[in-house]
């Protein structure tokens, strides 16, 4: 066997390996797993009431059930809980397909939050009793979880939170209000961060798993917002809310580490639905630019339009590659802090800029409500805020570059 043959032989052996599967997920924007879910979503999640639900801020329960029945809420969860136990790259491919095929970006955001934020945190940090109680429902969608960290006065500076968990006989008493909590109005259980000892700063922060039915827990009204209006979102107030010691996730004071770990996954991957949506936005804008004629020419033949759409392609491809790089690193157990921060920035800024270009390219049709183009722009704006605002991602990158804090 020549050296070249040996090399080829090695490649052939490697073609079924996890590393090759990962590479395939990264490089193949037309991956069959992604396209199959996109096709399924176009068929099963196209909902004629979307425009009305977007106006009224209504969550689509039936769509949620279909996503659960398809197994998409259990993509990453262990088979012990009924999940598919996929590595990140394989799971993200299907979530990307969901974003591509489903025009209800808010429904996709709800699903990705359950999989990537709530589900991952519960599986990694919940006690055996907590995971046994909540994970199977998270996987089927019968149970909805929320992740409650932010407060009115503690957003980017998350560890300055004011919600307290005062140790008392056999448990803790929670007091305080969490803000902007995704899925709160429909949630069955909340992962909540509070301080068990304000004098310890971040080392006093502790995580709890609190069922929505707990006395003293009140969920506010669904708050209308600019985009992702079909994902319900509210404040959650704890008033002399007693939880038993078994509600604690991890040790007292471990909350900051749990939050940091959850954020690394969230900033790396939470934009996956928006990256799928950006591909759809680009496809629609290209189709429109090929058929819409002005001055006797398709508008896509004008360099101004063609170059603007080329920029969207660049933004989409960059965001996608950075997200799968972060995924490959995390599934190898390597540090992905830089890759995740870059992924969050590229995904959110690329999606926002791309959706704005799409509005411009569609002209008045982009600006009126009935074609849904402006809805994508509103939906894709929030990514620069949730999961750590862009300024925070840039701080992380600057620190990792060695710039002074
Ligand atoms: C759609 C949506 C869903 C959300 N879902 C949840 C949820 O489920 N659970 C939850 O806990 N929270 C949630 N949030 C809240 C979100 O995490 C916070 O909005 C976010 O962390 C930013 O905090 P803030 O809104 O208080 O903005 P601020 O922290 O006040 O930031 C305002 C601006 O200042 C900049 N800034 C702040 N500090 C710095 C700094 N040190 N350096 C540079 N720039 C800085 C930011 O980049 C931003 O542009 C959600 C928010 C949105 C919009």
């Amino acid at each position: 066997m020549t050296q070249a043959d040996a090399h080829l032989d090695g490649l052939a052996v490697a073609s079924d390996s996890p590393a090759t599967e990962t590479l395939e997920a990264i490089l193949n924007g037309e991956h069959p797993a992604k396209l199959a879910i996109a096709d399924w979503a176009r068929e099963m999640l196209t909902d004629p009431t979307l425009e009305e639900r977007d106006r009224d801020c209504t969550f689509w329960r039936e769509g949620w059930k279909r996503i659960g029945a398809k197994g998409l809420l259990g993509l990453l969860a262990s088979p012990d809980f009924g999940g598919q136990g996929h590595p990140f790259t394989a799971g993200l491919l299907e979530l990307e397909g969901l974003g591509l095929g489903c025009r209800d970006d808010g429904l996709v955001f709800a699903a990705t939050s359950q999989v990537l934020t709530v589900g991952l945190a519960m599986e990694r940090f919940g006690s055996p009793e907590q995971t046994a109680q909540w994970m199977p429902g998270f996987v089927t969608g019968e149970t909805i979880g929320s992740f409650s960290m932010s407060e009115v006065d503690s957003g980017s500076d998350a560890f300055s939170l004011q919600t307290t968990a005062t140790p008392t006989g056999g448990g803790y008493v929670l007091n305080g209000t969490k803000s902007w909590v995704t899925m709160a109005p429909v949630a069955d259980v909340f992962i909540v961060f509070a301080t068990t000892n304000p004098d310890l700063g971040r080392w006093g922060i502790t995580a709890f798993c609190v069922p929505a039915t707990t006395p003293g827990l009140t969920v506010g009204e669904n708050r209308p917002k600019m985009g992702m209006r079909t994902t319900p979102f509210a404040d959650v107030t704890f008033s002399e809310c007693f939880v038993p010691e078994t509600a604690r996730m991890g040790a007292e004071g471990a909350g900051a580490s749990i939050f940091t770990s959850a954020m690394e996954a969230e900033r790396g991957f939470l934009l996956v639905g928006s990256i799928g949506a950006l591909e759809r936005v680009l496809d629609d804008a290209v189709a429109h630019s090929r058929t819409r004629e002005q001055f006797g020419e398709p508008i896509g033949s004008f360099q101004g339009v063609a170059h603007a759409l080329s920029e969207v392609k660049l933004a989409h491809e960059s965001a996608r590659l950075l997200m799968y790089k972060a995924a490959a690193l995390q599934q190898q157990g390597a540090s992905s802090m830089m890759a995740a921060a870059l992924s969050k920035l590229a995904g959110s800024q690329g999606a926002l800029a791309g959706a704005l270009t799409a509005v411009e390219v569609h002209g008045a049709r982009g600006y009126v409500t009935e074609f849904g183009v402006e809805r994508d722009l509103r939906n894709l704006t929030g990514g620069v805020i949730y999961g750590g605002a862009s300024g925070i991602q840039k701080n992380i990158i600057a620190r990792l570059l060695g710039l002074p804090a």
Side-chain angles (χ1 to χ4, degrees), residues 30-121:
E30 303 292 309
H31 196 288
K34 167 181 148 183
L35 297 188
I37 294 298
D39 285 343
W40 173 83
R42 278 184 207 105
E43 190 188 338
M44 299 301 293
L45 300 177
T46 298
D47 170 31
T49 68
L50 174 56
E51 189 182 327
E52 189 186 321
R53 288 191 297 101
D54 181 60
R55 196 171 47 243
D56 300 344
C57 299
T58 309
F59 177 56
W60 190 31
R61 280 268 179 194
E62 177 57 31
W64 176 262
K65 278 190 202 156
R66 289 179 195 176
I67 289 174
K70 184 70 179 164
L72 299 179
L73 299 173
L75 285 169
L76 303 180
S78 158
D80 294 346
F81 304 117
Q84 302 191 38
H86 282 320
F88 283 124
T89 45
L92 290 173
L93 276 172
E94 298 198 26
L95 294 174
E96 192 191 344
L98 183 66
L100 173 61
C102 175
R103 288 183 183 268
D104 185 346
D105 298 317
L107 182 64
V108 176
F109 181 53
T112 52
S113 299
Q114 171 116 333
V115 175
L116 295 167
T117 307
V118 180
L120 277 182

Side-chain angles (χ1 to χ4, degrees), residues 148-152 161-166 173-179 181 192-195 216-219 235-241:
S148 320
M149 180 67 169
S150 304
E151 299 175 4
V152 163
L161 59 78
Q162 297 295 308
T163 298
T164 53
T166 310
V173 176
L174 271 60
N175 279 293
T177 298
K178 296 292 175 181
S179 299
V181 182
V192 183
F193 295 84
T195 177
L217 184 161
T218 323
V219 178
D235 292 353
V236 184
T237 298
F238 300 89
S239 179
E240 299 298 319
C241 175

Side-chain angles (χ1 to χ4, degrees), residues 109 147-150 155-156 179-182 225 233 385-392 395:
F109 181 53
F147 187 89
S148 320
M149 180 67 169
S150 304
S156 299
S179 299
W180 332 119
V181 182
T182 296
K225 51 192 179 311
F233 156 103
I385 300 169
Y386 59 72
S390 295
I392 299 309
N395 288 349

Side-chain angles (χ1 to χ4, degrees), residues 44-386:
M44 299 301 293
L45 300 177
T46 298
D47 170 31
T49 68
L50 174 56
E51 189 182 327
E52 189 186 321
R53 288 191 297 101
D54 181 60
R55 196 171 47 243
D56 300 344
C57 299
T58 309
F59 177 56
W60 190 31
R61 280 268 179 194
E62 177 57 31
W64 176 262
K65 278 190 202 156
R66 289 179 195 176
I67 289 174
K70 184 70 179 164
L72 299 179
L73 299 173
L75 285 169
L76 303 180
S78 158
D80 294 346
F81 304 117
Q84 302 191 38
H86 282 320
F88 283 124
T89 45
L92 290 173
L93 276 172
E94 298 198 26
L95 294 174
E96 192 191 344
L98 183 66
L100 173 61
C102 175
R103 288 183 183 268
D104 185 346
D105 298 317
L107 182 64
V108 176
F109 181 53
T112 52
S113 299
Q114 171 116 333
V115 175
L116 295 167
T117 307
V118 180
L120 277 182
M122 176 59 77
E123 190 162 347
R124 285 175 175 171
F125 301 108
S127 66
E129 294 74 22
Q130 288 164 345
T131 51
Q133 182 176 3
W134 299 109
M135 283 303 298
F138 286 168
V139 165
T140 59
E142 277 160 54
T143 306
I144 294 177
S146 271
F147 187 89
S148 320
M149 180 67 169
S150 304
E151 299 175 4
V152 163
D153 292 324
S154 133
S156 299
D157 186 10
F159 296 149
S160 68
L161 59 78
Q162 297 295 308
T163 298
T164 53
T166 310
T168 179
Y172 302 84
V173 176
L174 271 60
N175 279 293
T177 298
K178 296 292 175 181
S179 299
W180 332 119
V181 182
T182 296
M183 299 297 273
V186 290
D188 301 290
V189 63
F190 294 87
I191 295 176
V192 183
F193 295 84
T195 177
T196 39
N197 185 344
D199 294 340
L200 293 178
R202 63 175 287 166
W203 306 113
I205 297 174
T206 305
F208 296 90
C209 169
V210 187
T213 49
T214 308
L217 184 161
T218 323
V219 178
E221 289 292 305
N222 185 10
R223 296 183 79 158
K225 51 192 179 311
M226 174 185 185
M228 299 298 191
R229 289 165 66 84
T230 60
T231 322
F233 156 103
D235 292 353
V236 184
T237 298
F238 300 89
S239 179
E240 299 298 319
C241 175
F242 174 80
V243 295
E245 206 166 318
T246 50
R248 208 182 59 224
M249 294 176 78
E252 268 188 26
S257 307
I258 292 175
F259 177 73
T260 303
S261 158
M263 280 302 103
E264 187 147 342
E266 187 166 305
R267 71 169 66 95
F269 315 136
L270 191 59
L271 268 292
V272 61
S274 298
I275 291 172
L278 180 58
E279 183 172 340
R280 165 167 45 79
V281 164
L282 176 60
D283 289 348
D284 289 351
V286 168
H288 178 73
S289 303
R290 287 162 61 94
T291 53
R292 167 73 177 165
E293 292 193 1
Q294 287 293 279
F295 303 98
E297 305 281 344
I299 59 169
S301 69
F302 304 132
Q303 195 181 53
V305 172
H307 283 192
L309 293 177
S310 304
E311 294 285 346
V312 180
K313 174 67 182 166
L314 175 65
H316 173 258
E317 189 76 13
S318 312
R320 200 177 174 275
L321 293 178
L322 283 165
M323 179 182 71
Y324 283 105
K325 177 176 177 180
L329 288 171
Q330 285 196 30
Q331 73 198 28
Q332 281 171 17
S335 167
S336 70
M337 208 171 215
M338 176 65 101
L342 290 169
S343 167
K344 172 77 183 15
L345 269 184
S348 57
Q349 296 186 349
L352 174 54
L356 182 59
T357 297
V359 167
E360 208 175 341
V361 162
H362 281 85
R365 288 167 188 76
Y367 196 69
V368 297
T369 306
E370 64 194 272
F371 299 99
V373 182
E374 60 82 41
R375 184 179 62 235
D376 281 322
L377 174 58
R378 289 187 285 101
N379 288 342
L380 298 180
T381 299
V384 299
I385 300 169
Y386 59 72

